[in-house]
Amino acid sequence: MSGHSTYVPGTAFERWLEKRLPIISLVHDSFVSFPTPKNLNYFWTFGAILSAMLGWQILTGMVLAMHYAANDAVAFASVEHIMRDVNYGWLLRYGHANGASFFFIAVYIHIFRGLYFGSYKEPREVLWILGMIIFLLMMATGFMGYVLPWGQMSFWGATVITNLFSAIPLVGSSIVTWLWGGFSVGDPTLNRFFSLHYLLPFMIAGVVILHVWALHVVGQNNPAGIEPKSTEDTVPFTPYATSKDVFATVVFFVIFAWFIFYVPNYTGDPDNYIEANPLATPAHIEPEWYFLPFYAILRSIPDKLGGVLCMFGAIAVLFVLPWLDTSKVRSATYRPLYRQFFWILVIVSVGLGWLGAQPPEGGYVIASRLFTAYYFIHFLVILPLLGLIETPKPLPTSISEAVLAKNGHQPAHT
Amino acid sequence: MTSLSKGAALVRQAVLAAGLILVAGSTWATAAEEAYEPAITKQLWSFAGPFGKFDKAQLQRGYKVYKEVCSNCHSMKFVSFRNLSQAGGPGFTEEQVKALAATVKVQDGPNDNGEMFERPGKASDRFPSPFANPEAAKAANNGAVPPDMSLLAKARSAEKSIYTWPINWLLQYQEYGPDYIYSLLNHYGPEDSKVCETGYYNTAYLGSRPCFAMPKPISDGQVTYDDGSKETVEQYSRDVSAFLMWAAEPKLEERKETGFKVIIFLIVFASLLYFTKRKIWANVAH
């Protein structure tokens, strides 16, 4: 976005390469000289954290795949082989399984940061939509990965979720048979899930490149929600953002390590340590925690097709969010009403997650319905209206002024 | 503006009301169930916490209880004899393991003549299963296969209460399996109890009713200990629960030791990065 590259080839080889493939200048412009708003807070480090998590998952997953066998007769035993006989197999598997959870923790923080600071607004709509595509791919990858250990919850989770497609009128049951590769979840299902589980992360990596490209075209949003006006407002990505990102990533990995080494089964379901048995249905079938809000929405609708539509609608509504929010002001810092509704949405989303883990009966169902209704009302009613009736606070004239105001100084030249 | 704030306040009240319904809902749900609360009590385990280690003598006793009592009905198909002498385990010597393995007969083959034959067990053999197949196990046990014990200590959980999540996370509570197994073995009711039509009265059993499919498996004095430990059901169940935790997680000690080093390294590394970052940003107001 800054026009001509500031990269100067230093050596004869670099000059030679630059004329043939300007890859060093591309990396230089994207990750070194790229102008970064200087007022970014730590919520802006989650992009780097997510990249690190994607790398971690691909790396651990690649080695796990060398020892795992995607066959329903031996899949469960091959995971135990990894845990007991492979050198540091326990680290690979616990790291990968908890890695999925931490990938989702990071992506949820990243998404809610975007919601709070209006990062989806003009001109960042495509950037936002690419992010949503990554989120969808992550959900598919996470779901299929959970099936691979072939425990009870793997098997029955796969059965419940694939059965959702049977709600499609006319062709539903044919589609489900096609997905399964048979008349129930079985060996063909496990095999294709393994294949797709290995493929999708590379599709994620591809869309991440588009996501970063789009980001570098429009530039980063920032807590003030206003565009940088001069070079005073920005700092070069390296070393400023790089040092902050690396620090935040390592702190994130401290908490991640706590889970891997001390509470590795905390996010898992004990039932998944029982080998898949098509003849014994577990008392409570529930997905991994990161799907629970959507699971709650699914179950809150008494009609199967309606439930499926609402569940997918809960994500679809995020795709059109840039056009639902009518406010011209990005950051919730300057939107007193939106800020309140944002936090209500956070509470409702977490509440839906909790409800997704409860049995579908009595008061839980009523609460799920209220929360589901509110979730959609937030996006479809409150956001469009709010932009029309809310009076935002006066915006600072520049990022530098916002920084001075935050630090308690009077706007003056320094 | 004021009407808008009122609007926001109304929404907040609505959310609050929804929350109240939620709480009320959970109360109804509890009331609807029978007043049965499984009596599962948390125990102190040597392998709990960041520096937890298995008590080798306890694991050896637990192995004895498993071998003489549990293994009559339960398989443990993912554990091999050689595991008994591995680091972080019961600490048997390789000679002891060879001797233990040699006490079982293993079918091997085919040999050069195409015939199957029996041979004494080797350290590399898995623990033998008590039944030839699930059907035989079912036939001998009132139609239910006794669960494989390799992962039992990780496959059972007492509670998933939202209130204890953060505490369990901080205190590293991962011993719900052995706590449950210990409690089960200690909470059999009187044998002449009429509470259960099917199953055996057990007030620790996780289910809608205190009726457990397994009859009381062990009594005081049944297994002889050589190290002077008490020969009571309480002691047996404590030892066998610890042994089952080891069987389910044989790399527990290695995991916790590695974890401590990794976390210390990461904290030191993060501190250095923090000061680096501060120095870099020192001249930029942000």
Side-chain angles (χ1 to χ4, degrees):
Chain A
M1 63 181 273
S2 56
H4 280 291
S5 177
T6 58
Y7 167 68
V8 183
T11 62
F13 172 73
E14 283 174 71
R15 277 191 296 277
W16 181 86
L17 184 65
E18 186 67 15
K19 281 193 189 128
R20 287 153 180 87
L21 181 73
I23 192 166
I24 304 180
S25 62
L26 176 75
V27 171
H28 183 270
D29 295 348
S30 308
F31 301 106
V32 180
S33 65
F34 180 62
T36 309
K38 64 179 183 179
N39 59 335
L40 299 185
N41 59 35
Y42 274 103
F43 286 107
W44 262 266
T45 59
F46 280 87
I49 290 170
L50 284 161
S51 311
M53 286 314 300
L54 179 61
W56 171 265
Q57 290 300 84
I58 289 179
L59 213 67
T60 51
M62 193 186 68
V63 184
L64 284 170
M66 295 175 186
H67 301 280
Y68 169 79
N71 177 297
D72 68 343
V74 293
F76 189 82
S78 76
V79 172
E80 276 313 303
H81 160 68
I82 290 170
M83 291 296 287
R84 290 161 193 271
D85 297 328
V86 174
N87 289 330
Y88 289 101
W90 56 269
L91 178 56
L92 290 168
R93 177 171 162 258
Y94 280 152
H96 195 73
N98 284 288
S101 279
F102 273 75
F103 208 159
F104 275 97
I105 289 173
V107 90
Y108 281 131
I109 295 174
H110 194 62
I111 291 172
F112 274 101
R113 187 269 287 155
L115 290 176
Y116 187 87
F117 293 107
S119 300
Y120 47 84
K121 291 186 194 183
E122 193 273 320
R124 297 186 177 83
E125 301 94 327
V126 172
L127 173 62
W128 173 263
I129 289 169
L130 288 168
M132 282 301 131
I133 293 172
I134 296 171
F135 179 48
L136 272 183
L137 287 170
M138 277 177 66
M139 292 174 85
T141 312
F143 162 66
M144 291 185 197
Y146 191 61
V147 177
L148 303 185
W150 211 240
Q152 274 288 68
M153 217 38 86
S154 300
F155 181 89
W156 290 99
T159 302
V160 169
I161 301 300
T162 47
N163 254 316
L164 294 178
F165 292 93
S166 70
I168 301 167
L170 302 174
V171 291
S173 63
S174 305
I175 287 179
V176 173
T177 309
W178 177 71
L179 287 173
W180 285 340
F183 296 102
S184 67
V185 173
D187 192 40
T189 327
L190 176 61
N191 251 301
R192 63 191 54 186
F193 276 21
F194 179 56
S195 167
L196 292 171
H197 183 72
Y198 209 118
L199 169 71
L200 291 185
F202 296 97
M203 292 177 65
I204 294 178
V207 186
V208 165
I209 291 172
L210 297 180
H211 191 64
V212 173
W213 183 12
L215 175 77
H216 284 226
V217 172
V218 294
Q220 281 169 293
N221 185 32
N222 61 80
I226 52 174
E227 297 297 331
K229 298 234 162 41
S230 67
T231 48
E232 281 280 287
D233 290 341
T234 62
V235 287
F237 192 85
T238 301
Y240 293 94
T242 330
S243 62
K244 200 169 173 176
D245 282 349
V246 174
F247 166 63
T249 306
V250 173
V251 170
F252 188 79
F253 269 69
V254 171
I255 305 165
F256 181 28
W258 184 278
F259 272 79
I260 295 175
F261 295 106
Y262 294 135
V263 281
N265 293 307
Y266 184 81
T267 57
D269 195 306
D271 272 0
N272 227 29
Y273 279 113
I274 303 170
E275 193 169 354
N277 181 355
L279 300 175
T281 317
H284 297 287
I285 302 174
E286 63 175 67
E288 287 287 81
W289 69 266
Y290 36 82
F291 293 133
L292 287 173
F294 301 103
Y295 194 54
I297 291 173
L298 168 78
R299 292 192 309 181
S300 71
I301 311 294
D303 173 65
K304 189 172 179 181
L305 181 60
V308 173
L309 288 176
C310 275
M311 185 178 72
F312 285 112
I315 301 164
V317 78
L318 292 170
F319 275 80
V320 291
L321 173 62
W323 296 276
L324 290 173
D325 189 341
T326 48
S327 173
K328 294 279 174 247
V329 176
R330 290 193 193 114
S331 172
T333 313
Y334 305 104
R335 297 186 62 189
L337 285 179
Y338 173 69
R339 190 160 61 190
Q340 297 186 19
F341 284 108
F342 169 84
W343 286 111
I344 295 170
L345 181 73
V346 171
I347 294 164
V348 166
S349 304
V350 174
L352 278 169
W354 180 69
L355 287 163
Q358 305 309 316
E361 59 197 27
Y364 299 130
V365 176
I366 300 166
S368 297
R369 286 180 190 163
L370 282 170
F371 277 41
T372 301
Y374 182 82
Y375 179 90
F376 284 103
I377 288 169
H378 174 90
F379 289 106
L380 297 173
V381 180
I382 296 174
L383 278 189
L385 285 181
L386 214 53
L388 304 177
I389 51 184
E390 181 182 46
T391 312
K393 289 189 197 162
L395 293 173
T397 53
S398 72
I399 289 175
S400 294
E401 193 195 298
V403 168
L404 286 171
K406 189 190 78 180
N407 293 347
H409 298 295
Q410 291 299 315
H413 74 96
T414 44
Chain B
M1 265 316 278
T2 33
S3 66
L4 281 176
S5 310
K6 269 184 194 162
L10 262 175
V11 174
R12 254 176 293 167
Q13 278 165 7
V15 173
L16 194 71
L20 283 176
I21 292 170
L22 209 83
V23 175
S26 54
T27 324
W28 299 332
T30 327
E33 285 162 24
E34 285 174 46
Y36 168 55
E37 265 307 307
I40 298 158
T41 47
K42 291 187 182 178
Q43 302 298 311
L44 288 174
W45 300 104
S46 66
F47 47 84
F51 307 108
K53 289 209 184 311
F54 288 112
D55 173 347
K56 288 188 171 59
Q58 182 172 50
L59 292 191
Q60 296 201 1
R61 293 195 301 272
Y63 171 66
K64 196 159 195 241
V65 174
Y66 155 76
K67 197 183 170 203
E68 291 181 16
V69 184
C70 314
S71 71
N72 290 321
C73 303
H74 292 272
S75 59
M76 195 183 265
K77 60 184 180 184
F78 294 123
V79 182
S80 306
F81 286 102
R82 66 183 162 82
N83 296 130
L84 292 169
S85 63
Q86 276 174 358
F92 286 107
T93 63
E94 285 186 26
E95 276 60 46
Q96 283 174 309
V97 167
K98 273 182 198 160
L100 282 170
T103 59
V104 302
K105 286 264 177 291
V106 176
Q107 199 191 41
D108 204 344
N111 62 13
D112 293 345
N113 299 323
E115 283 154 4
M116 303 302 280
F117 59 93
E118 277 204 339
R119 60 162 175 80
K122 291 189 283 196
S124 56
D125 284 321
R126 302 280 179 101
F127 285 178
S129 295
F131 300 103
N133 49 56
E135 285 70 24
K138 251 186 204 173
N141 290 284
N142 289 327
V145 183
D148 183 80
M149 278 186 154
S150 315
L151 287 161
L152 202 61
K154 289 199 286 189
R156 298 289 184 275
S157 177
E159 38 132 17
K160 284 197 118 185
S161 162
I162 191 170
Y163 308 109
T164 51
W165 281 351
I167 303 162
N168 288 346
W169 177 73
L170 275 174
L171 297 184
Q172 308 181 348
Y173 179 58
Q174 288 272 284
E175 292 76 38
Y176 39 80
D179 280 345
Y180 179 52
I181 295 167
Y182 170 86
S183 301
L184 262 183
L185 293 171
N186 279 291
H187 281 86
Y188 278 97
E191 273 172 31
D192 54 353
S193 161
K194 299 273 188 297
V195 179
C196 300
E197 283 164 28
T198 55
Y200 300 85
Y201 186 49
N202 188 318
T203 51
Y205 179 64
L206 274 176
S208 51
R209 306 197 66 229
C211 300
F212 185 29
M214 178 173 78
K216 189 174 190 308
I218 192 165
S219 326
D220 288 350
Q222 193 173 331
V223 178
T224 313
Y225 279 160
D226 317 319
D227 63 354
S229 298
K230 280 185 284 180
E231 293 171 359
T232 59
V233 169
E234 201 275 338
Q235 186 64 39
Y236 292 150
S237 46
R238 192 175 293 279
D239 295 343
V240 83
S241 301
F243 175 73
L244 290 176
M245 187 68 221
W246 168 79
E249 189 82 359
K251 301 296 174 70
L252 180 142
E253 288 188 12
E254 185 189 357
R255 164 161 66 77
K256 292 186 175 184
E257 280 167 15
T258 314
F260 186 69
K261 291 177 206 156
V262 169
I263 287 176
I264 293 290
F265 166 77
L266 286 175
I267 289 173
V268 171
F269 188 34
S271 316
L272 296 174
L273 286 167
Y274 176 70
F275 291 115
T276 312
K277 180 248 157 200
R278 261 180 68 126
K279 184 146 194 293
I280 289 169
W281 283 83
N283 297 321
V284 181
H286 58 281

PDB file of all heavy atoms in Angstrom, chain B residues 145-157:
ATOM      1  N   VAL B 145     -19.915 -57.278  28.289  1.00  0.00           N
ATOM      2  CA  VAL B 145     -18.464 -57.488  28.235  1.00  0.00           C
ATOM      3  C   VAL B 145     -17.801 -56.619  29.306  1.00  0.00           C
ATOM      4  O   VAL B 145     -18.001 -55.409  29.323  1.00  0.00           O
ATOM      5  CB  VAL B 145     -17.904 -57.087  26.851  1.00  0.00           C
ATOM      6  CG1 VAL B 145     -16.416 -57.385  26.770  1.00  0.00           C
ATOM      7  CG2 VAL B 145     -18.656 -57.792  25.744  1.00  0.00           C
ATOM      8  N   PRO B 146     -17.021 -57.205  30.221  1.00  0.00           N
ATOM      9  CA  PRO B 146     -16.297 -56.356  31.179  1.00  0.00           C
ATOM     10  C   PRO B 146     -15.336 -55.452  30.406  1.00  0.00           C
ATOM     11  O   PRO B 146     -14.605 -55.947  29.556  1.00  0.00           O
ATOM     12  CB  PRO B 146     -15.533 -57.357  32.049  1.00  0.00           C
ATOM     13  CG  PRO B 146     -16.218 -58.659  31.839  1.00  0.00           C
ATOM     14  CD  PRO B 146     -16.756 -58.623  30.442  1.00  0.00           C
ATOM     15  N   PRO B 147     -15.351 -54.125  30.656  1.00  0.00           N
ATOM     16  CA  PRO B 147     -14.548 -53.217  29.822  1.00  0.00           C
ATOM     17  C   PRO B 147     -13.051 -53.514  29.915  1.00  0.00           C
ATOM     18  O   PRO B 147     -12.561 -53.923  30.965  1.00  0.00           O
ATOM     19  CB  PRO B 147     -14.863 -51.833  30.386  1.00  0.00           C
ATOM     20  CG  PRO B 147     -15.436 -52.073  31.742  1.00  0.00           C
ATOM     21  CD  PRO B 147     -16.095 -53.411  31.693  1.00  0.00           C
ATOM     22  N   ASP B 148     -12.367 -53.296  28.792  1.00  0.00           N
ATOM     23  CA  ASP B 148     -10.913 -53.420  28.787  1.00  0.00           C
ATOM     24  C   ASP B 148     -10.340 -52.389  29.747  1.00  0.00           C
ATOM     25  O   ASP B 148     -10.810 -51.254  29.823  1.00  0.00           O
ATOM     26  CB  ASP B 148     -10.380 -53.168  27.374  1.00  0.00           C
ATOM     27  CG  ASP B 148      -8.875 -53.364  27.293  1.00  0.00           C
ATOM     28  OD1 ASP B 148      -8.445 -54.522  27.205  1.00  0.00           O
ATOM     29  OD2 ASP B 148      -8.151 -52.355  27.323  1.00  0.00           O
ATOM     30  N   MET B 149      -9.303 -52.778  30.503  1.00  0.00           N
ATOM     31  CA  MET B 149      -8.802 -51.899  31.570  1.00  0.00           C
ATOM     32  C   MET B 149      -7.633 -51.010  31.149  1.00  0.00           C
ATOM     33  O   MET B 149      -7.175 -50.196  31.945  1.00  0.00           O
ATOM     34  CB  MET B 149      -8.384 -52.724  32.774  1.00  0.00           C
ATOM     35  CG  MET B 149      -9.560 -53.106  33.651  1.00  0.00           C
ATOM     36  SD  MET B 149      -8.962 -53.925  35.135  1.00  0.00           S
ATOM     37  CE  MET B 149     -10.293 -53.566  36.268  1.00  0.00           C
ATOM     38  N   SER B 150      -7.157 -51.149  29.895  1.00  0.00           N
ATOM     39  CA  SER B 150      -5.985 -50.363  29.487  1.00  0.00           C
ATOM     40  C   SER B 150      -6.182 -48.880  29.686  1.00  0.00           C
ATOM     41  O   SER B 150      -5.264 -48.158  30.068  1.00  0.00           O
ATOM     42  CB  SER B 150      -5.667 -50.610  28.018  1.00  0.00           C
ATOM     43  OG  SER B 150      -5.724 -51.959  27.697  1.00  0.00           O
ATOM     44  N   LEU B 151      -7.386 -48.387  29.375  1.00  0.00           N
ATOM     45  CA  LEU B 151      -7.626 -46.941  29.399  1.00  0.00           C
ATOM     46  C   LEU B 151      -8.717 -46.552  30.374  1.00  0.00           C
ATOM     47  O   LEU B 151      -9.186 -45.407  30.366  1.00  0.00           O
ATOM     48  CB  LEU B 151      -8.004 -46.481  27.984  1.00  0.00           C
ATOM     49  CG  LEU B 151      -6.831 -46.454  27.012  1.00  0.00           C
ATOM     50  CD1 LEU B 151      -7.306 -46.462  25.579  1.00  0.00           C
ATOM     51  CD2 LEU B 151      -5.961 -45.239  27.279  1.00  0.00           C
ATOM     52  N   LEU B 152      -9.115 -47.504  31.212  1.00  0.00           N
ATOM     53  CA  LEU B 152     -10.269 -47.279  32.080  1.00  0.00           C
ATOM     54  C   LEU B 152     -10.133 -46.005  32.918  1.00  0.00           C
ATOM     55  O   LEU B 152     -11.079 -45.239  33.080  1.00  0.00           O
ATOM     56  CB  LEU B 152     -10.452 -48.488  32.992  1.00  0.00           C
ATOM     57  CG  LEU B 152     -11.861 -48.664  33.582  1.00  0.00           C
ATOM     58  CD1 LEU B 152     -12.879 -48.842  32.475  1.00  0.00           C
ATOM     59  CD2 LEU B 152     -11.883 -49.864  34.509  1.00  0.00           C
ATOM     60  N   ALA B 153      -8.921 -45.750  33.434  1.00  0.00           N
ATOM     61  CA  ALA B 153      -8.724 -44.607  34.336  1.00  0.00           C
ATOM     62  C   ALA B 153      -8.845 -43.264  33.612  1.00  0.00           C
ATOM     63  O   ALA B 153      -8.945 -42.225  34.252  1.00  0.00           O
ATOM     64  CB  ALA B 153      -7.368 -44.711  35.028  1.00  0.00           C
ATOM     65  N   LYS B 154      -8.823 -43.292  32.266  1.00  0.00           N
ATOM     66  CA  LYS B 154      -9.044 -42.040  31.546  1.00  0.00           C
ATOM     67  C   LYS B 154     -10.420 -42.002  30.893  1.00  0.00           C
ATOM     68  O   LYS B 154     -10.812 -40.998  30.321  1.00  0.00           O
ATOM     69  CB  LYS B 154      -7.969 -41.865  30.452  1.00  0.00           C
ATOM     70  CG  LYS B 154      -6.587 -41.562  31.018  1.00  0.00           C
ATOM     71  CD  LYS B 154      -5.668 -40.946  29.979  1.00  0.00           C
ATOM     72  CE  LYS B 154      -5.192 -41.947  28.970  1.00  0.00           C
ATOM     73  NZ  LYS B 154      -4.136 -41.406  28.084  1.00  0.00           N
ATOM     74  N   ALA B 155     -11.128 -43.134  30.953  1.00  0.00           N
ATOM     75  CA  ALA B 155     -12.404 -43.238  30.243  1.00  0.00           C
ATOM     76  C   ALA B 155     -13.608 -43.026  31.151  1.00  0.00           C
ATOM     77  O   ALA B 155     -14.741 -43.210  30.736  1.00  0.00           O
ATOM     78  CB  ALA B 155     -12.505 -44.594  29.549  1.00  0.00           C
ATOM     79  N   ARG B 156     -13.360 -42.666  32.409  1.00  0.00           N
ATOM     80  CA  ARG B 156     -14.471 -42.421  33.329  1.00  0.00           C
ATOM     81  C   ARG B 156     -14.287 -41.057  33.961  1.00  0.00           C
ATOM     82  O   ARG B 156     -13.187 -40.698  34.361  1.00  0.00           O
ATOM     83  CB  ARG B 156     -14.502 -43.481  34.448  1.00  0.00           C
ATOM     84  CG  ARG B 156     -14.710 -44.897  33.970  1.00  0.00           C
ATOM     85  CD  ARG B 156     -16.137 -45.106  33.462  1.00  0.00           C
ATOM     86  NE  ARG B 156     -16.367 -46.499  33.088  1.00  0.00           N
ATOM     87  CZ  ARG B 156     -16.064 -47.019  31.895  1.00  0.00           C
ATOM     88  NH1 ARG B 156     -15.493 -46.263  30.980  1.00  0.00           N
ATOM     89  NH2 ARG B 156     -16.316 -48.280  31.639  1.00  0.00           N
ATOM     90  N   SER B 157     -15.372 -40.296  34.024  1.00  0.00           N
ATOM     91  CA  SER B 157     -15.287 -38.987  34.650  1.00  0.00           C
ATOM     92  C   SER B 157     -16.491 -38.739  35.536  1.00  0.00           C
ATOM     93  O   SER B 157     -17.611 -39.094  35.183  1.00  0.00           O
ATOM     94  CB  SER B 157     -15.204 -37.888  33.602  1.00  0.00           C
ATOM     95  OG  SER B 157     -15.183 -36.634  34.234  1.00  0.00           O
TER      96      SER B 157
END
